[in-house]
Amino acid sequence: MYKYPKYTEEVMNKRHRVQFPKNELSDSDQDESYFYLHGTSKKRKIKFHDYDEIYQVPGLYEQIFYDRLKCVSPSKITAILESSIKQSVDNFTELRVLDLGAGNGMMGEELKKHGVSRLVGVDIIPEAYDALIRDRPGVYDAYYVEDFCALSEGKKEEIESWQCDCMVTVAALGFGDIPTKAFVNAFNIISNEGWVAFNIKDTFLDSSDETGFSKLIRELIFSKYLDVYHIERYRHRLSVDGEPLHYFAVVGRKNAAISSEFIESKGIVF
């Protein structure tokens, strides 16, 4: 079996030569934002959502989104989830968390610092798992590289065996990174009365947005399937030209699995 090299803090904190474009796209084109990574002989244009490329370079994801663009979402969502649970009889440290779109483990690392009981990560791209093993080994109790839109029955049962009672998904919703169907399938895997915590760009909750994911979240917030404990608009990160990008943080409690009848009745397209 291939042994991934253990990167030192010095390597992880290496400053890559990164250049942002001078005339950045508008916030509405956030999924088309990009940067240039300068190498020894040439520069590469990489889109912000080209995670497979970004994860292959140690420390690049952290440098772009956390050092340069000041992303605060993992700590923000964790704090709101912990605060919401304090309003109930549950204990934060007893949570068994399914981290959907776990990437290279930034959210998992934050949850682990706060002492959750179990962490199960899920992502669709192998490069995310490779980066996790390289940079943050031991954060998750299990990590699956799976397409939640086409999850086999055997794999579904295996993930269900972890008996997760919380689902989190951070900075991965609304741009096609996690399709509507994948979100619903993950939601339905966690136990009833389990916790759900996620963030979503503020414009995706606008009634003028008719995409399937936007409609699902709007309908879910006011449905019988989710009791919302906390919803808050906050600054997720900066754009490359220094303007704040605002997201909504949502924390709630699952009442029941989302039915196919509900999906069809609301005209939500997978």
Side-chain angles (χ1 to χ4, degrees):
M1 182 180 292
Y2 177 72
K3 297 292 186 181
Y4 291 97
K6 183 174 178 58
Y7 282 89
T8 64
E9 184 175 347
E10 179 182 357
V11 173
M12 279 295 293
N13 291 335
K14 176 184 176 182
R15 305 305 296 176
H16 301 285
R17 291 183 59 207
V18 171
Q19 176 188 355
F20 288 147
K22 292 182 179 179
N23 297 314
E24 170 55 4
L25 298 164
S26 67
D27 289 353
S28 61
D29 296 315
Q30 186 183 329
D31 57 329
E32 295 296 322
S33 295
Y34 61 91
F35 63 94
Y36 293 105
L37 177 64
H38 291 261
T40 55
S41 59
K42 62 179 181 179
K43 67 179 182 180
R44 292 160 54 197
K45 178 181 177 180
I46 303 176
K47 287 186 177 181
F48 278 17
H49 287 242
D50 288 340
Y51 299 119
D52 54 344
E53 292 192 56
I54 295 173
Y55 287 147
Q56 292 179 48
V57 183
L60 180 59
Y61 183 88
E62 291 81 356
Q63 181 178 330
I64 293 292
F65 295 105
Y66 290 85
D67 297 343
R68 294 282 295 272
L69 301 180
K70 309 301 180 185
C71 178
V72 301
S73 285
S75 59
K76 182 70 173 180
I77 303 304
T78 299
I80 292 175
L81 176 61
E82 190 168 21
S83 174
S84 297
I85 290 174
K86 286 180 180 178
Q87 301 175 37
S88 73
V89 297
D90 293 349
N91 293 314
F92 185 86
T93 55
E94 294 177 359
L95 288 181
R96 299 182 299 276
V97 181
L98 179 67
D99 184 0
L100 181 65
N104 65 347
M106 296 292 289
M107 184 62 182
E109 187 173 58
E110 188 68 27
L111 289 166
K112 192 175 183 69
K113 285 194 301 186
H114 287 251
V116 297
S117 175
R118 289 287 182 270
L119 271 171
V120 178
V122 174
D123 208 289
I124 196 171
I125 59 173
E127 291 85 356
Y129 176 73
D130 293 344
L132 171 78
I133 296 303
R134 182 191 66 209
D135 302 335
R136 296 179 179 83
V139 167
Y140 294 92
D141 296 283
Y143 194 105
Y144 296 91
V145 179
E146 295 288 339
D147 180 356
F148 259 51
C149 290
L151 201 60
S152 70
E153 192 59 35
K155 193 59 68 174
K156 179 173 179 287
E157 290 176 359
E158 182 181 340
I159 295 172
E160 285 177 335
S161 72
W162 286 96
Q163 299 180 309
C164 292
D165 55 10
C166 178
M167 179 185 80
V168 300
T169 180
V170 172
L173 300 178
F175 291 108
D177 297 332
I178 296 180
T180 309
K181 185 177 181 180
F183 181 89
V184 171
N185 288 342
F187 182 97
N188 287 350
I189 279 178
I190 67 169
S191 60
N192 287 346
E193 298 187 2
W195 294 89
V196 179
F198 60 90
N199 67 346
I200 185 170
K201 196 172 188 303
D202 55 1
T203 56
F204 289 136
L205 291 188
D206 193 300
S207 59
S208 63
D209 189 329
E210 288 298 310
T211 60
F213 189 83
S214 179
K215 290 178 69 173
L216 170 68
I217 297 302
R218 290 199 307 270
E219 296 292 348
L220 187 62
I221 286 173
F222 297 104
S223 76
K224 65 180 181 180
Y225 299 102
L226 184 71
D227 280 340
V228 174
Y229 273 60
H230 191 114
I231 183 167
E232 178 182 337
R233 186 175 184 264
Y234 73 101
R235 195 211 74 191
H236 162 60
R237 65 168 174 83
L238 302 176
S239 68
V240 298
D241 57 1
E243 294 299 317
L245 295 178
H246 291 100
Y247 275 46
F248 279 108
V250 180
V251 173
R253 201 159 195 176
K254 173 186 172 181
N255 290 320
I258 299 171
S259 68
S260 57
E261 290 79 13
F262 172 78
I263 297 295
E264 292 170 6
S265 69
K266 300 301 181 181
I268 298 168
V269 179
F270 279 164

